Amino acid sequence: MAEAPKGLIGERIPRLEDDRLTTGRGRYLDDLTPVGTLHLRFVRSQRAHARLTAVVPGEYEPLPPEAIVITGKDVLGLGIQADARVVPKVIEPHQRYDDNRPTELDPAWQSSLQPALAHEVVRYVGEPIAAVLHPDPYVVEDAAEAVSVHYEDLEPVIDMRGALAADAPIVHEGWRDNVFIRRHRTYGDLKAARERGKHTVRITTRTNRQAGVPLENRGCLAMPDATGRGVVLWTSSQMPHLVRTYVSRALGIPENLLRVIAPEVGGGFGVKGHVFPDEVLVSELARRLQRPVKWTEDRVEHLLSSIHARDHAHRLEAFVDDDGRVHGIRAQIVVDAGAYSVFPWTAGSDSGMVPKVMIGPYDIQDVEFEDIAIATNKSPLGTYRGVGRPSATFSIERLMDTVAEQLGLDAVEVRRRNLITEFPYRAANGLLYDSGSYLDTLNKVSEELDWEVARATDQGGQRYRRGVGVSVFNEQTAHGTPDFEVRGTPIETGYQGMRVEINPDGTSVIFMGLQSHGQGLETTLAQVMASELGVLPSTVKVVHGDTGNSPYSVGTWGSRGAVLGGGAVARAARELRAKVLKIAAFRLDVAEDDLEIERGVVRVKKNPSQLRTIAQIAEIAIRRAAKMPPGLAPGLDALAYVDGPDRGTFSNACHGAQVVLDTWTGRVRIERYVVAEDCGTMLNPTIVEGQVQGGVAQGIGNALLEEFNYSDDGQPMSATFMDYLMPTATDVPALEIHHFDSPSPWTENGVKGMGEAGAIGPLAAVAAAVSHAVGAQLYETPMQMERVFAIQEGDVPEHLTWEYWHECPRLRGFWDDF
Amino acid sequence: MKVRLTVNGEDREVEVEPRRLLSDVLRHELDCQGVHLGCEHGVCGACTVIMDGVAVRSCLTLAPQAEGTTVLTTEGLGTPEHPSVVQRAFKTEHGLQCGFCTPGFVCAITAMLDDVDEMDDGELREALAGNICRCTGYANIVKAARRAAAERDESDSVIRQGGGCCGEQRGCCNG
């Protein structure tokens, strides 16, 4: 399918969406307020774990007139249930999946219903207990203050290891323990690997909890439709069709009575790639009250109760020979998934991703994993740029650096000896890598950093010390339906649909179910359309995120928008082009092959003065159909669906960081950051570079600053931007970006996904650089001053030791079994 | 209470509760929805507007404090057809992605435009650190600020304009 790039593909055209966004004309969720809107404010739990004994509106001060209070008992059963079903043990890439469709709940799985409003029990601080409605957005806040909540405290489960203790309090009554799901997978022969590698290297890593934090908070607005039964729901979402499917089921209304529109979305990053209970509640209340109901999240609410991310503890054991060749790896992955399972990914998403991607770019065929997703009294954990991959890459790359250190080898050389160099490559777990440039990117970055010289420099005794580090990774992107089918989770497909049409004046429109939230999809998809059809991108309009006018799509996540959305546009545009040529050939009385289309004009190749504009063709096809070729139907539109390659297409990159450490304080500053990346054919290099720079900035935040803390009794300690530190312009350097280009043989134009890649590499690259500067290995993010200083002083925290986790009986078994 | 102010070149009068935030008044009463709220406690800078030539956080300003002032929002700086030099520079340098933080950055940079040339990169980044962008990683925003400073002319100085709009020559508003 791969073809040489053509037309505008690969051109740095400026973004079409920028004129409205720079001048304040973009309309985001909170900019929409229909006449008669009731504003909704949540009363949220102030306790991590408690029984609700009473919810009393107006106990100490009267409610403002017109206020409406809805509590959990008014909406019993309404909420989010995201379950996992049985997954086949081994999935071969070529296997047919229709026989394997999991239908039964996985016996290892424990279900949690996340209620729209808590009833009887609250399970994290910030969980909604009551919804208060009022026409005035200021008064509704007063009204919510006037609702009293009476609690009977229960013992909270906050600490990851504590949640697994034999006598731990149970987050969900009736559960056997605090484990959503626990899975064990073995590929290859670990015993043989141990014999080949005589050194055993062990590490313990921790990537602490953080938040995704799009700058626009979440929000939704529901308005009853004219039938009185249906609803139009505007929501700041990355997946409007999936919201429609879930919410209509929850409401018990036919899917064609719910129209979901994602307006301009101010950043998503996976945080908005969920269906949330508030979307269900707001839709339900608009139907009950027959008035528009709107909820706009504030920043404290976002940090408290939209999803969190990362929060992994890993232990790895590797069998390595004298040359630094890693023959086998065993890893135990523990993820704190919070109080509830998120839709559609489930609570097992982050932990399940790690065994899939941890080996990544390395040729290691003997591996064994156990992954455990545990429930605690914290905000639910969901998807955020990279999903599990930043933590997985952090661990495997920290392992490579540790191998190098323990064997007295160079860290880049150890990577070289283990990297995959021949493609396609079948990974131990069945993933099939299409193409890549793993070694090239590593060589490029180490050359740019002047690796040997930088590593050899002795800086002993100085206050400021430099360090350099690298990380290598690949990323499964645009994975197709089979990859999801076997997960047994409510996300079942990976395809995208696109409808394109030409108007009577020759302008054209792309209707997409994808949502653009900053990736420049309006521009890149218009570029694809313009290239295929032979028109100017400025004549192509992209209508996104409205289930009322677009074909079903799964949404914008998993680095699939440009690959599969772009692929669908290409196919649909090609169909349109063929029809345009048919009509033009008939009108000009020549063969279709004699024609070409450029800048909206169809010409006879040998006689360019003979022409029809696309506008003239469109006028015929749509308004003067009697002039059409006999037998050809009127109209100029086309529809295409594109599914991803079975196991995806694999981007790759190497990140290199150079840091300066202030040894007096532990403060780290990033001096240089080098990226060599390969996402196959680039549709628009400017947009690719923007995504990489932005992703790396998030990764740097992840590496150095961002941490969501809870106190021992489950109180959030990081619920504002004063406590939750976001990277600003002073924290992120301009990147040095180098491109490699290994087109995928499996996608349109050889495009690979790259939306998340930037955020995956920085944790490991920065950790390696800081470790170099400190002179001791760091195994925990974020590497805030006090953590770095402690390691520098030789003070290793208990939770980074093997024994700390090994003391937990529920974790020891995996290691004892071998 | 009544509050009178000039917004994007137009004299406006609004009746508000004293506790009402300037950001909300601009957004909901005065149709400047390009003023965005990202944190509502003065850290993210998305709500930045230019008040009497100075960049201020409209989420930390009560509407009555704006009495008698001249306020510019990104809508008043330029239009899609006639963007201001800063707005143009953001597009040229790919200084925005989702666009949510952009109006705040546009206002902040517009207010400091006359001083940008004198700042080294560290100072410029320090000056921009009052605004949070979650998408771009800042590098292109820094470039946009530099480009805008290099390409600006008399009409792009809000301070010299005395808080007027984009200048009569563009004719996009009431000046």
Side-chain angles (χ1 to χ4, degrees):
Chain A
M1 221 187 297
E3 296 166 15
K6 59 189 169 185
L8 294 161
I9 289 171
E11 294 291 317
R12 292 178 179 272
I13 68 170
R15 294 205 324 170
L16 303 171
E17 45 270 75
D18 288 356
D19 291 330
R20 71 170 186 275
L21 298 181
T22 54
T23 56
R25 269 72 176 176
R27 286 294 165 258
Y28 300 82
L29 191 276
D30 191 43
D31 300 334
L32 313 170
T33 310
V35 174
T37 293
L38 288 169
H39 294 271
L40 184 152
R41 178 84 185 161
F42 285 110
V43 176
R44 293 182 180 276
S45 174
Q46 298 180 353
R47 308 295 170 88
H49 197 190
R51 198 166 294 286
L52 292 175
T53 52
V55 180
V56 192
E59 186 177 19
Y60 301 110
E61 52 181 315
L63 286 176
E66 290 186 75
I68 300 167
V69 178
I70 308 285
T71 63
K73 70 176 186 318
D74 301 319
V75 288
L76 280 180
L78 205 65
I80 294 287
Q81 176 108 20
D83 285 329
R85 287 157 295 177
V86 173
V87 178
K89 270 233 164 339
V90 179
I91 314 299
E92 296 298 333
H94 54 271
Q95 200 170 342
R96 284 189 59 79
Y97 297 93
D98 42 359
D99 302 330
N100 276 320
R101 184 80 189 101
T103 50
E104 289 172 17
L105 275 188
D106 192 321
W109 175 260
Q110 301 197 87
S111 295
S112 66
L113 171 75
Q114 180 175 10
L117 295 173
H119 181 59
E120 293 180 346
V121 178
V122 285
R123 297 189 178 84
Y124 67 95
V125 173
E127 182 168 5
I129 292 170
V132 183
L133 299 100
H134 194 276
D136 186 316
Y138 276 57
V139 174
V140 78
E141 299 208 13
D142 302 340
E145 291 289 319
V147 177
S148 304
V149 179
H150 297 245
Y151 304 92
E152 185 187 293
D153 282 328
L154 300 168
E155 197 181 339
V157 183
I158 303 302
D159 169 55
M160 224 188 241
R161 195 182 63 164
L164 291 168
D167 58 349
I170 301 293
V171 173
H172 290 278
E173 281 172 31
W175 278 25
R176 53 186 177 266
D177 54 20
N178 288 315
V179 176
F180 278 108
I181 193 161
R182 177 180 197 137
R183 290 167 287 211
H184 186 200
R185 309 168 220 216
T186 308
Y187 309 99
D189 183 348
L190 261 298
K191 288 200 168 71
R194 184 162 63 179
E195 279 159 26
R196 287 200 301 278
K198 59 182 188 192
H199 307 276
T200 300
V201 176
R202 282 178 163 183
I203 64 169
T204 304
T205 69
R206 183 84 171 88
T207 52
N208 283 291
R209 181 170 278 243
Q210 67 157 114
V213 197
L215 207 58
E216 180 209 26
N217 289 306
R218 294 179 44 250
C220 47
L221 158 69
M223 189 159 82
D225 75 359
T227 70
R229 293 198 299 139
V231 169
V232 184
L233 172 66
W234 287 264
T235 177
S236 187
S237 176
Q238 297 172 230
M239 40 171 61
H241 281 96
L242 291 180
V243 171
R244 186 183 76 185
T245 296
Y246 189 89
V247 173
S248 66
R249 281 180 195 169
L251 265 47
I253 62 171
E255 205 157 331
N256 62 6
L257 285 184
L258 183 66
R259 178 180 174 193
V260 178
I261 305 171
E264 212 89 76
V265 171
F269 313 120
V271 177
K272 294 175 181 171
H274 299 82
V275 184
F276 288 91
D278 42 67
E279 289 166 319
V280 178
L281 180 73
V282 164
S283 303
E284 169 67 14
L285 293 181
R287 286 180 76 230
R288 279 195 199 175
L289 301 165
Q290 285 297 302
R291 281 182 73 173
V293 174
K294 175 176 167 181
W295 168 68
T296 309
E297 186 182 63
D298 66 26
R299 184 55 64 189
V300 174
E301 287 182 293
H302 179 84
L303 286 166
L304 280 185
S305 55
S306 278
I307 58 95
H308 288 163
R310 316 301 184 227
D311 215 348
H312 290 222
H314 299 175
R315 280 190 295 165
L316 281 71
E317 179 177 75
F319 308 119
V320 191
D321 67 21
D322 288 338
D323 297 329
R325 184 81 175 86
V326 179
H327 291 282
I329 286 180
R330 306 180 72 212
Q332 187 176 45
I333 317 301
V334 184
V335 171
D336 181 344
Y340 296 105
S341 178
V342 294
F343 191 93
W345 313 104
T346 78
S349 166
D350 245 61
S351 65
M353 183 63 81
V354 177
K356 202 172 160 192
V357 303
M358 182 180 265
I359 302 307
Y362 298 112
D363 177 25
I364 304 169
Q365 287 286 334
D366 302 312
V367 288
E368 183 180 13
F369 293 102
E370 181 177 57
D371 75 277
I372 306 163
I374 58 173
T376 59
N377 292 112
K378 296 182 190 168
S379 176
L381 200 79
T383 58
Y384 168 53
R385 207 169 191 169
V387 191
R389 299 172 182 102
S391 301
T393 297
F394 181 71
S395 289
I396 191 81
E397 291 297 273
R398 293 279 64 224
L399 179 75
M400 288 294 168
D401 286 320
T402 308
V403 166
E405 183 185 67
Q406 291 189 7
L407 273 64
L409 299 169
D410 175 74
V412 163
E413 190 51 38
V414 166
R415 287 176 171 82
R416 280 197 193 107
R417 291 174 189 175
N418 288 289
L419 281 177
I420 295 160
T421 51
E422 285 178 26
F423 299 92
Y425 176 87
R426 172 73 52 81
N429 55 10
L431 295 186
L432 191 60
Y433 302 167
D434 45 355
S435 54
S437 54
Y438 304 165
L439 204 52
D440 294 337
T441 57
L442 175 64
N443 289 339
K444 180 70 187 169
V445 169
S446 49
E447 182 190 310
E448 291 293 324
L449 288 174
D450 201 358
W451 180 259
E452 279 81 13
V453 176
R455 291 292 278 199
T457 310
D458 178 18
Q459 313 169 91
Q462 296 174 38
R463 174 176 174 183
Y464 294 99
R465 291 169 58 103
R466 285 206 160 72
V468 288
V470 295
S471 70
V472 189
F473 61 94
N474 67 351
E475 188 196 358
Q476 182 192 31
T477 70
H479 22 332
T481 298
D483 200 84
F484 295 99
E485 182 74 4
V486 297
R487 291 189 187 197
T489 62
I491 187 83
E492 288 139 0
T493 66
Y495 70 86
Q496 308 290 14
M498 292 278 165
R499 190 164 67 79
V500 300
E501 67 178 40
I502 301 182
N503 300 318
D505 67 352
T507 59
S508 51
V509 191
I510 300 171
F511 294 97
M512 65 172 188
L514 299 187
Q515 213 302 318
S516 178
H517 46 274
Q519 315 93 321
L521 278 178
E522 284 183 44
T523 306
T524 46
L525 297 193
Q527 256 177 289
V528 172
M529 174 95 162
S531 294
E532 293 288 347
L533 195 56
V535 299
L536 293 172
S538 56
T539 66
V540 182
K541 181 184 166 77
V542 178
V543 176
H544 53 77
D546 184 348
T547 65
N549 58 27
S550 59
Y552 206 97
S553 292
V554 289
T556 320
W557 46 264
S559 297
R560 64 192 50 247
V563 187
L564 306 182
V569 166
R571 288 191 199 171
R574 242 174 261 153
E575 193 183 321
L576 272 184
R577 178 191 172 92
K579 193 165 180 183
V580 165
L581 287 174
K582 259 196 187 105
I583 300 167
F586 178 70
R587 300 311 312 171
L588 291 163
D589 200 19
V590 294
E592 288 159 45
D593 288 348
D594 294 335
L595 295 170
E596 61 186 4
I597 313 181
E598 210 181 343
R599 298 171 75 87
V601 180
V602 193
R603 290 176 197 278
V604 178
K605 288 179 199 163
K606 288 181 182 160
N607 183 6
S609 62
Q610 254 196 300
L611 58 85
R612 290 287 187 278
T613 62
I614 284 191
Q616 287 170 321
I617 304 287
E619 177 77 10
I620 289 168
I622 300 162
R623 302 198 60 246
R624 309 181 69 187
K627 291 188 157 196
M628 292 281 280
L632 197 62
L636 273 180
D637 57 10
L639 174 67
Y641 292 89
V642 169
D643 197 0
D646 280 11
R647 309 311 302 271
T649 174
F650 289 79
S651 299
N652 66 276
C654 177
H655 287 197
Q658 179 181 309
V659 303
V660 178
L661 166 75
D662 180 349
T663 55
W664 289 9
T665 62
R667 183 174 176 167
V668 172
R669 185 169 61 81
I670 297 178
E671 214 173 19
R672 284 181 71 196
Y673 202 97
V674 186
V675 173
E677 69 84 37
D678 188 340
C679 62
T681 305
M682 288 187 282
L683 294 173
N684 184 329
T686 302
I687 287 177
V688 168
E689 286 159 12
Q691 289 281 307
V692 172
Q693 171 83 46
V696 168
Q698 293 188 349
I700 287 174
N702 204 168
L704 294 179
L705 296 168
E706 296 178 45
E707 180 169 359
F708 198 96
N709 285 306
Y710 286 88
S711 69
D712 290 344
D713 58 353
Q715 288 297 328
M717 312 281 276
S718 323
T720 74
F721 281 159
M722 303 302 282
D723 312 297
Y724 187 85
L725 299 182
M726 297 281 284
T728 72
T730 51
D731 301 304
V732 187
L735 307 189
E736 301 160 42
I737 304 178
H738 305 274
H739 298 294
F740 288 81
D741 179 6
S742 310
S744 172
W746 300 334
T747 65
E748 292 282 350
N749 291 312
V751 178
K752 296 176 175 181
M754 51 73 53
E756 295 159 279
I760 296 173
L763 280 67
V766 174
V770 176
S771 299
H772 179 213
V774 169
Q777 301 292 345
L778 274 82
Y779 294 104
E780 184 172 23
T781 64
M783 290 163 276
Q784 291 156 338
M785 296 164 75
E786 57 272 29
R787 284 205 174 107
V788 174
F789 193 79
I791 299 288
Q792 181 186 288
E793 300 300 298
D795 180 13
V796 175
E798 196 187 14
H799 63 267
L800 292 181
T801 62
W802 192 272
E803 295 71 29
Y804 173 84
W805 299 98
H806 219 61
E807 280 166 13
C808 176
R810 285 205 167 93
L811 297 179
R812 196 181 302 142
F814 171 74
W815 303 99
D816 293 345
D817 286 350
F818 187 52
Chain B
M1 61 185 293
K2 270 195 175 51
V3 175
R4 283 170 298 267
L5 69 170
T6 306
V7 177
N8 296 331
E10 243 182 278
D11 292 333
R12 307 290 296 262
E13 186 177 291
V14 284
E15 179 72 40
V16 295
E17 274 188 276
R19 66 171 171 170
R20 203 152 163 83
L21 299 175
L22 177 61
S23 52
D24 286 335
V25 169
L26 287 169
R27 285 176 50 73
H28 301 299
E29 267 79 41
L30 301 173
D31 302 321
C32 299
Q33 293 187 311
V35 177
H36 293 158
L37 294 171
C39 73
E40 293 175 88
H41 62 137
V43 181
C44 82
C47 69
T48 303
V49 298
I50 305 170
M51 184 190 275
D52 290 337
V54 177
V56 302
R57 303 271 200 251
S58 61
C59 81
L60 291 186
T61 309
L62 294 169
Q65 294 176 281
E67 169 70 31
T69 64
T70 297
V71 173
L72 282 169
T73 71
T74 197
E75 287 100 329
L77 297 174
T79 65
E81 294 75 27
H82 300 286
S84 75
V85 67
V86 177
Q87 290 164 337
R88 273 201 318 272
F90 266 79
K91 178 174 179 170
T92 308
E93 297 293 352
H94 188 33
L96 68 151
Q97 288 183 19
C98 82
F100 195 80
C101 73
T102 310
F105 268 104
V106 164
C107 288
I109 292 172
T110 302
M112 67 170 84
L113 203 54
D114 289 342
D115 303 322
V116 168
D117 286 338
E118 285 151 29
M119 299 183 200
D120 64 27
D121 267 8
E123 290 166 334
L124 180 54
R125 282 176 173 272
E126 197 74 44
L128 294 173
N131 290 59
I132 292 173
C133 169
R134 192 54 158 170
C135 297
T136 66
Y138 304 105
N140 290 345
I141 294 177
V142 174
K143 284 190 205 167
R146 287 265 182 246
R147 173 182 287 274
E151 293 181 354
R152 78 191 190 283
D153 60 31
E154 287 285 306
S155 64
D156 296 308
S157 167
V158 291
I159 296 164
R160 237 167 276 147
Q161 277 172 38
C165 179
C166 54
E168 280 176 22
Q169 59 272 54
R170 296 210 190 95
C172 58
C173 61
N174 297 330

